[in-house]
Each structure stands twice: as structure tokens, then as C-alpha cells.
Amino acid sequence: MNHAPEHHTPQGVTAAAGFRAVGITAGLKASGTPDLALVVNDGPAKNAAAVFTTNRVAAAPIHWSRKVIADGRAEAVILNSGGANACTGAEGHANTRATAEATADALGVDAGDLLVCSTGLIGEQLPMDKITAGIGTACAALEAGSGPDGGADAATAIMTTDSVPKQAGFSCAGYAIGGMAKGAGMLAPGLATMLVVITTDAALEAPELDAALRAATRVSFDRADSDGCMSTNDTVLLLASGASGIRPDLAEFTDGLTGVCTDLAHQLIADAEGAAHEISIRSFNAASEDDAEEVSRSVARSNLFKTAIFGQDPNWGRVLSAVGTTAAAFDPDELDVAINGVQVCRAGGIGEDRSLVDLAGRKVLVEIDLHAGEAEATIWTNDLTHDYVHENSAYSS
């Protein structure tokens, strides 16, 4: 089934009924660009689910939000860029609590129902005077009416090294799903490195939302692997207002949600730091989906392969070398590899002339036939460029 959202579907976190959003400048970033976002669920339902980073070094907002989401309920989410609030000790945890309490007080809700997300540099305390003042400004703007661009403003405010805001949407049979994401580096599961807020006006309970979200992220964000580096702050939230009154079939809803997540995941890879190529690595005829995923991911994490693509060199030997490091079932003498439609490797050996491969465009498709079964999986990644090295060598300076 085609997961791509419809062309004219409203985008972003305010696409679904029952949600308001705002993005403002609180002065957290030296650039003076927007850096604080707020998304509020006006109900009638306040059901929610979330998936978080599996990094054992998790940021303070992760610990807080895990507790908030445990009962499957959330009133709102406050998000800041300009500081990850990770590896900040007891003060960092206190600052997350203070952020939640200040936002909850301004909204007139329980702080225990307030989700918190942060993104930016690890190992620095947040300027809480600016955060607190910004919360007041954001809540006042929300109360005054954030207007039709509230969702877009929120998507802009959560950007860090992103070059563009990222939004997606889906609508079907009277209900809608909308979402925003940030992320341009440290993109590797569990989850890709990101903050994502997805909203829906479908009438679904928290356990249903949780099942749908985990199914959707497994084949979308978990398949985006830019640089093999996992963040301390990964968060994907799904909030449901029930405002449409529509209770969709769960499989149908999961399919629509997967479309939104896949769209956002592709946008993350397209905006990866310094990337010149967006690469899809499809392994097929595998003994299992896990095998196919392992093979594709091994290639996606090969710096030799990624630099070859940057140099427009269809060096298929680097593909086979990566495949050979996996535990997947295959016979090395039966492997086939195609790059942008040219079968450069046939039966584990030389195929068509590699000079026939055109890598001048941004899109690259690598297809690996394992000849071991019927399963398949695709991992999305990008090349490794001079710009990526430059940006990440100077990130904290």
C-alpha cells in the first residue's frame, strides 16, 4: 500500500482538529531564531503514546516524559531548541521539572500531564530565566490565537542544524493525522535522532495509539540511519484529541500514521547535515526481514561506501564488504548488487560496467539480492561529505 500522504492534505501538528501550536523566540540560540514551541491538546480526549531513545545516556526530558506518558495521557508538550539538557545532573532534572510546572501553571493543567522535549548541545545547562519568560510569551500568544501558521511556527522553532522545517499530514474518512519533526544529524536508531510530535483527531485509546506508533516507527524512523550515531534526546510523541468523533479501524489508522512517519523520516534524511546524496539501500530475497535490515544497515553505516557515493564512485566492492560482516543468511557466490538500475555485481562477481552508473543526481538506489528467501527491508541514509565533517567538527565552538 502506498503510504505517501495526499498532496493537498493539511500539514503539521495543527492539521488535526483539537490542537493549537505556537513557536516563538526565547533567546536560547545565538542566532536569534525561534527556539521554543508549544503544542496543546484541547480534547475532548487527552490520550497519548510515545517512543523514546534507547541510549542509556538519556537526557533529563526523556526521564521526565517517560513518567508523564506512563498513564497514556498528556495535555501538552513544550519543546526547546538551543540546548539538549543532557548530561546536566540534578540541576538539569530540576530544570525539566521547572519547565513543565511553569508551562502547566500558565495553561491551568497538571504538570504531570506536560511532556517536555529539548534539543541542542549536550552538557550545558539551560538558561531558565529565558525559558520561563519564553513560556509566558508562548502561552500568551496561544491564548491570543496563534492563527493558521501556528503549526508551521512550532516546526521552525524546534530546528537546530536543520535547514528547513519538516511537516507532514494525512486525512481519511473524516479524521486527520499531522506531524512535525526536527533532525539533521545523529540519525540512527533506536529511533533516528529527532524530536517528533504527531497529532490526530481520531478517537483512539492510549493502548491503541501505542501499538500503532510502535508499528509505524519500526518501519520509518527506525529505518533512517544517517551517520550511525544515536542521540540522548530522541522522542516521538503521538497525541490524540478525539475531536473528529471518528473511531477508525486500527490497521487503517496505523497505515496512515506510517505514511506520516515515513514522509517525515525521508525529510530528515533529505536534510542530513552536508548531504549531497539521499541513498535508499534495499535488501531483498532475504531469509527474514531482520536479515534484510541488518544487511542494508551494514552498508548504510560503511564510511567507505558513503564517501564513494559522495565522490560519485559506484564502488560495489564496498557494498559486498559491508554485507559480508553481517550474520544474515546468504551465499557470497550468489549475491547480486545494482546501483541506480545497473547490475554492477552478478553472482558475487563482476557484473555490468560500473561506469554505466549515473550518480550525478541526488537520489541513489542500491539493491542487494541475497537469494536466500522472500523478505526485504530498506534503510535510508546519505553520503559522507566534506560539509558534514566541517559542520560537526565545529558544532560546539
Side-chain angles (χ1 to χ4, degrees), residues 15-341:
F19 292 93
R20 292 176 293 153
V22 66
I24 62 103
T25 301
L28 308 180
K29 295 193 292 191
S31 62
T33 53
D35 49 26
L36 192 71
L38 176 63
V39 180
V40 174
N41 182 356
D42 291 323
K46 304 295 178 73
N47 299 326
V51 182
F52 300 101
T53 183
T54 58
N55 197 319
R56 292 170 60 195
V57 180
I62 296 291
H63 293 288
W64 173 269
S65 294
R66 278 176 176 156
K67 293 178 181 178
V68 169
I69 208 70
D71 63 357
R73 175 183 169 82
E75 292 271 2
V77 53
I78 183 79
L79 312 94
N80 75 271
S81 55
N85 197 8
C87 306
T88 47
E91 183 178 348
H93 287 280
N95 286 340
T96 292
R97 173 181 289 276
T99 298
E101 290 176 344
T103 308
D105 287 346
L107 295 175
V109 301
D110 190 326
D113 290 325
L114 210 298
L115 295 158
V116 180
C117 298
S118 298
T119 182
L121 187 63
I122 294 170
E124 292 190 353
Q125 299 293 351
L126 293 175
M128 289 307 295
D129 55 337
K130 295 179 180 179
I131 291 276
T132 302
I135 289 169
T137 301
C139 289
L142 200 68
E143 189 65 26
S146 56
D149 295 328
D153 292 341
T156 298
I158 62 175
M159 293 166 54
T160 51
T161 58
D162 308 61
S163 65
V164 292
K166 302 166 180 69
Q167 299 185 93
F170 170 86
S171 61
C172 179
Y175 71 91
I177 305 170
M180 66 178 184
K182 68 77 48 183
M186 289 183 76
L187 295 177
L191 302 178
T193 299
M194 62 183 70
L195 299 184
V196 179
V197 180
I198 301 170
T199 60
T200 182
D201 49 21
L204 292 171
E205 299 300 317
E208 296 172 306
L209 297 173
D210 184 75
L213 183 62
R214 292 180 186 278
T217 56
R218 186 184 72 82
V219 294
S220 58
F221 296 124
D222 279 352
R223 299 279 173 88
D225 198 327
S226 172
D227 51 16
C229 297
M230 185 193 298
S231 172
T232 55
N233 292 59
D234 294 341
T235 302
V236 179
L237 304 174
L238 174 58
L239 312 178
S241 68
S244 71
I246 303 296
R247 180 177 173 79
D249 173 76
L250 187 57
E252 173 194 89
F253 177 83
T254 301
D255 192 68
L257 178 63
T258 301
V260 170
C261 291
T262 301
D263 188 346
L264 290 172
H266 284 177
Q267 291 183 54
L268 294 174
I269 290 296
D271 195 31
E273 292 168 344
H277 292 88
E278 301 161 39
I279 310 168
S280 297
I281 304 170
R282 174 183 176 242
S283 296
F284 63 105
N285 289 334
S288 68
E289 186 179 352
D290 286 345
D291 272 12
E293 182 178 345
E294 181 185 3
V295 167
S296 291
R297 197 178 301 283
S298 73
V299 178
R301 291 187 173 180
S302 166
N303 285 338
L304 286 176
F305 163 76
K306 292 158 76 75
T307 53
I309 297 299
F310 170 59
Q312 300 186 29
D313 175 12
N315 190 339
W316 56 268
R318 294 180 177 180
V319 175
L320 288 197
S321 294
V323 174
T325 66
T326 71
F330 63 85
D331 182 339
D333 293 328
E334 294 185 1
L335 292 173
D336 296 331
V337 176
I339 302 177
N340 280 355

